[in-house]
Amino acid sequence: MSDLAAAADLDVRLEEHRRELTGYCYRMLGSAFEAEDAVQDTLVRAWRSIDKFEGRSSLRSWLYRIATNVCLDMLTAGNKRARPMDLTAATPVANAQLNSRPEVTWLEPVPDGRVLPTIEDPAEAALARESVRLAFVAALQHLPPKQRAVLILREVLAWKAAEVAELLDTTVASVNSALQRARSTLADSDPKQTDAADPLDEEQQKLLDRYVAAFEGYDMAALTALLHEDATLSMPPYDLWLRGHDDIVGWMLGVGEVCRGSRLVPTVANGTPAFAHYHPDPEGGFTPWALMVIETTEGKVSGITSFLDTSRWFPLFHLPARLDEEGEPVPAR
């Protein structure tokens, strides 16, 4: 094989692992953009040092070793991604104020197609989606970086303890100890379980249809009926968050009144349903307002996270930059 053909073959072999590595790095870092940077760094390092790959492990295992080291290096700065509810207590709607924090604070959403490889087994596919939910990834951020890596490799990716020990240059006993501590910390964080939603069953689709109708029609009575009594609403980059359908509706009838007349376009994020939220434009049509990630539990909406930095999220999710007066996407010029 010529050098050129060998290089092309290596490119193909490395690229085959991009999506699963991005999923791994996203769980480690809590940031879609940092995960992509980490994977690109991983593949560049692998390309440059391929002559040192002796084949004692699979190419996949070697890439995970490199990706883990890249992520651990990125995490030495101590930045820990979070949701608003991880930083402050819920605010009564009467005292609600919008205080923003830097974007490096926030756990970021991610498109399913960037981090979830195609898995035919329904149970394994459900586990993969569960492992990128906002609540679960936020809980992972409470773990020290190496414990985080151990838990993801063992519990999410189903690596054997001996394989993880080899990757981390440690012992099986150390891996098992780290996993036990990580499980304990995760249990204390208690990431809320949500309904499986891929594909949506008939009742889940009806719930989302009713949600869209209530939100677009600004029917607060109908919306209240769809929300869990202790549902949450948060709006990164603001640290404000609200708990309970009364406070959520109170917000939407106060400061949130600007959302009246909005349109919602369905998408998916973090293994759960999501919507591109567009506001009416005084000059006609609709303009981006938020990426709204929805969590459902026991047939009701239990969490709404509206990520407001649409200049980051809409391109990442390949969402239209504008809707016309009928709510249809305006073709890009």
Side-chain angles (χ1 to χ4, degrees):
M1 182 182 294
S2 69
D3 290 346
L4 188 60
D9 178 66
L10 178 59
D11 278 339
V12 171
R13 291 168 62 203
L14 293 177
E15 283 296 324
E16 287 174 351
H17 299 280
R18 181 180 289 274
R19 185 183 294 187
E20 65 169 310
L21 287 171
T22 304
Y24 174 62
C25 293
Y26 173 72
R27 296 177 184 100
M28 285 290 291
L29 302 170
S31 163
F33 294 103
E34 287 185 358
E36 292 193 350
D37 289 344
V39 172
Q40 190 59 34
D41 191 3
T42 295
L43 297 182
V44 169
R45 292 189 191 188
W47 175 267
R48 290 174 175 170
S49 58
I50 191 64
D51 58 322
K52 298 178 183 177
F53 175 54
E54 299 175 353
R56 288 197 300 265
S57 62
S58 68
L59 177 64
R60 178 174 181 261
S61 297
W62 186 59
L63 289 172
Y64 269 93
R65 174 191 288 268
I66 298 172
T68 299
N69 289 332
V70 170
C71 289
L72 293 178
D73 287 345
M74 294 174 72
L75 289 167
T76 54
N79 293 331
K80 184 169 68 174
R81 300 272 175 172
R83 300 173 302 164
M85 51 278 292
D86 300 318
L87 302 177
T88 65
T91 303
V93 68
N95 301 329
Q97 294 182 344
L98 293 176
N99 302 308
S100 64
R101 297 200 186 196
E103 63 89 10
V104 294
T105 302
W106 302 116
L107 183 69
E108 297 180 352
V110 70
D112 286 10
R114 298 278 183 123
V115 295
L116 295 179
T118 301
I119 300 174
E120 294 185 2
D121 182 88
E124 291 183 10
L127 174 62
R129 290 191 300 273
E130 177 73 15
S131 71
V132 295
R133 284 191 309 110
L134 289 173
F136 183 79
V137 179
L140 289 176
Q141 308 306 300
H142 293 282
L143 301 175
K146 284 195 175 180
Q147 283 186 30
R148 199 179 309 174
V150 167
L151 187 131
I152 295 168
L153 291 166
R154 293 281 286 118
E155 301 279 81
V156 177
L157 301 177
W159 285 40
K160 296 177 181 178
E163 294 172 326
V164 179
E166 182 179 358
L167 182 147
L168 295 175
D169 289 324
T170 188
T171 64
V172 169
S174 177
V175 167
N176 289 335
S177 176
L179 179 61
Q180 185 176 7
R181 294 195 303 274
R183 284 172 173 168
S184 176
T185 301
L186 209 63
D188 291 339
S189 301
D190 190 27
K192 182 170 55 177
Q193 297 294 312
T194 56
D195 296 335
D198 185 17
L200 295 169
D201 64 30
E202 184 177 355
E203 290 304 312
Q204 289 171 325
Q205 188 59 61
K206 287 180 179 178
L207 171 66
L208 293 176
D209 290 344
R210 291 196 298 270
Y211 178 83
V212 171
F215 195 94
E216 291 187 344
Y218 231 66
D219 184 340
M220 293 298 106
L223 186 64
T224 298
L226 301 175
L227 295 174
H228 263 283
E229 185 175 348
D230 62 349
T232 60
L233 169 66
S234 59
M235 296 161 284
Y238 298 114
D239 58 12
L240 169 74
W241 67 282
L242 305 166
R243 183 192 295 278
H245 51 56
D246 289 342
D247 275 357
I248 292 173
V249 168
W251 171 266
M252 293 185 67
L253 291 175
V255 176
E257 182 76 21
V258 294
C259 292
R260 187 181 291 274
S262 294
R263 294 294 180 92
L264 301 182
V265 175
T267 184
V268 289
N270 293 82
T272 61
F275 295 99
H277 176 186
Y278 294 83
H279 264 202
D281 186 338
E283 298 182 2
F286 300 83
T287 54
W289 183 256
L291 176 72
M292 180 187 290
V293 181
I294 303 295
E295 293 176 289
T296 65
T297 307
E298 298 175 350
K300 287 197 172 186
V301 174
S302 55
I304 306 168
T305 306
S306 288
F307 293 93
L308 300 180
D309 190 354
T310 56
S311 64
R312 287 166 66 82
W313 309 126
F314 276 45
L316 182 67
F317 282 79
H318 302 294
L319 293 165
R322 186 177 184 84
L323 304 181
D324 64 19
E325 287 78 0
E326 303 302 319
E328 296 298 323
V330 175
R333 295 180 179 178

